[in-house]
């Protein structure tokens, strides 16, 4: 019987206690768990093994954010042994980074919570997700409805590179695509086989200051393109209502905004009124 492959990339060690709570919801499902990290495994194993003794933990180069280590894992297993792949990773919480998705402003902390909740919030959530793939031959991937996007502004700037990669894989080029922003998803393993042509060394060393345009961002969108080009669909999970969190974020943003413009000017606004400006050298 084919198993579930779970890949978890850990960059933010401080998030491990929270992640372990989620991961315990998976223990009733037969699976293999591969954990990658750029940190020394001696720092990770004492935190992981007491709760997840079956985890295989590997130190990898810090290349391609969570994408490069995921590719490395796919290259070190027999994908034919697995029916589904669950991709997970830590996501920074303390920075002021945010993204706009489906007309909603997500800071990294909320973005990460939404992604994790959609995959592992409860045992029932996991069972429901697997049932969707089991019972629908045409569905190849599923992820949070909040993080699903088919908006051209989210991929047009990378479309030439995406199509280059599709051509290399002997797949059809595309003019439109959809994907799960944040790259946490559950997918049918066979549809991810074209990714095994890559290696972690294809990705540049991770630079947290670069927020867009790297090869990792290309492959993030390629995940979705591979599903639809192979005649499957991406299913969106409608889950918990985060209206209160969105409202709190909107109020906080209205009361106080800090931003740095492209010209290097730092601006602080209170109730949308600029109260401080400084050119950062």
């Amino acid at each position: 019987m084919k198993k579930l492959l779970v890949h978890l990339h850990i960059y933010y060690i401080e998030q491990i206690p929270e992640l372990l709570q989620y991961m315990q919801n998976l223990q009733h499902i037969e699976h293999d768990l591969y954990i990658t990290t750029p940190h020394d495994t001696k720092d990770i194993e004492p935190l992981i093994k007491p709760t997840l003794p079956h985890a295989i933990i590997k130190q990898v180069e810090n290349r391609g954010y969570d994408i490069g280590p995921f590719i490395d894992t796919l290259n070190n297993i027999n994908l034919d042994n697995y029916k589904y792949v669950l991709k997970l990773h830590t996501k920074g919480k303390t920075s002021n980074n945010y993204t706009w998705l489906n007309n909603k402003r997500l800071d990294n902390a909320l973005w990460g919570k939404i992604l994790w909740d959609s995959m592992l919030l409860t045992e029932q959530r996991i069972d429901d997700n697997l049932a969707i793939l089991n019972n629908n031959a045409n569905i190849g991937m599923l992820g949070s409805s909040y993080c699903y996007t088919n908006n051209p502004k989210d991929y047009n700037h990378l479309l030439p590179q995406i199509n280059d990669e599709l051509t290399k894989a002997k797949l059809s080029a595309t003019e439109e695509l959809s994907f799960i922003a944040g790259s946490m998803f559950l997918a049918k393993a066979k549809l991810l086989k074209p990714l095994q042509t890559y290696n972690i060394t294809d990705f540049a060393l991770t630079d947290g200051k670069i927020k867009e345009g790297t090869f990792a961002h290309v492959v993030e969108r390629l995940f979705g393109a591979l599903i639809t080009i192979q005649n499957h669909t991406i299913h969106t999970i409608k889950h918990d209502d985060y209206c209160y969190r969105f409202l709190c974020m909107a109020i906080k943003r209205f009361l106080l905004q800090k931003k740095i413009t492209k010209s290097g000017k730092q601006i602080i606004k209170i109730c949308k009124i600029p109260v401080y400006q400084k050119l950062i050298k």
Side-chain angles (χ1 to χ4, degrees), residues 39-90:
H39 307 291
D40 192 323
T41 57
K42 293 179 181 179
D43 297 328
I44 300 292
E45 288 184 353
L47 304 174
I48 297 289
K49 286 292 189 176
T51 304
L52 304 173
H54 64 298
I56 298 171
I57 304 173
K58 179 182 178 182
Q59 184 178 14
V60 296
E61 287 189 277
N62 191 18
R63 290 179 176 271
Y65 303 89
D66 55 284
I67 308 290
F70 177 63
I71 297 296
D72 183 75
T73 299
L74 293 184
N75 282 329
N76 284 282
I77 52 93
N78 183 352
L79 202 53
D80 288 330
N81 290 337
Y82 300 97
K83 189 172 184 180
Y84 304 125
V85 174
L86 175 60
K87 182 183 177 302
L88 307 164
H89 61 90
T90 58

Side-chain angles (χ1 to χ4, degrees), residues 91-124:
K91 197 161 185 62
K93 295 184 178 184
T94 57
S95 73
N96 293 321
N97 295 335
Y98 66 90
T99 191
W100 283 96
L101 283 172
N102 303 315
N103 298 315
K104 291 182 173 63
R105 186 181 190 270
L106 301 179
D107 65 19
N108 274 8
L110 180 55
W111 193 0
K113 175 175 172 54
I114 287 173
L115 288 163
W116 273 87
D117 283 357
S118 70
M119 295 290 102
L120 292 174
L121 183 61
T122 63
E123 289 187 6
Q124 188 62 54

Side-chain angles (χ1 to χ4, degrees), residues 19 33 39 59 67 86 89 134 140-141 154 158-159 168 175 187 194 197 228-229 242 253 256 264 266-267 272 281:
L19 301 187
L33 172 59
H39 307 291
Q59 184 178 14
I67 308 290
L86 175 60
H89 61 90
N134 273 323
M141 174 184 284
D154 293 325
L158 297 174
L159 194 57
K168 290 177 187 177
E175 291 303 316
T197 61
T228 53
I229 286 172
Y242 300 90
R253 178 169 167 77
L256 177 64
Q266 183 183 59
I267 300 176
K272 294 192 174 182
K281 297 181 180 179

Side-chain angles (χ1 to χ4, degrees), residues 1-64:
M1 181 177 178
K2 292 189 176 181
K3 293 182 180 181
L4 169 68
L5 168 65
V6 181
H7 173 250
L8 167 59
H9 182 65
I10 297 177
Y11 180 81
Y12 299 100
I13 296 178
E14 67 275 12
Q15 293 180 22
I16 288 177
E18 179 183 357
L19 301 187
L20 290 177
Q21 294 181 18
Y22 279 107
M23 296 300 292
Q24 290 183 79
N25 294 332
L26 188 63
Q27 297 315 299
H28 68 295
I29 301 292
E30 185 180 10
H31 67 280
D32 289 337
L33 172 59
Y34 289 83
I35 295 176
T36 53
T37 180
H39 307 291
D40 192 323
T41 57
K42 293 179 181 179
D43 297 328
I44 300 292
E45 288 184 353
L47 304 174
I48 297 289
K49 286 292 189 176
T51 304
L52 304 173
H54 64 298
I56 298 171
I57 304 173
K58 179 182 178 182
Q59 184 178 14
V60 296
E61 287 189 277
N62 191 18
R63 290 179 176 271

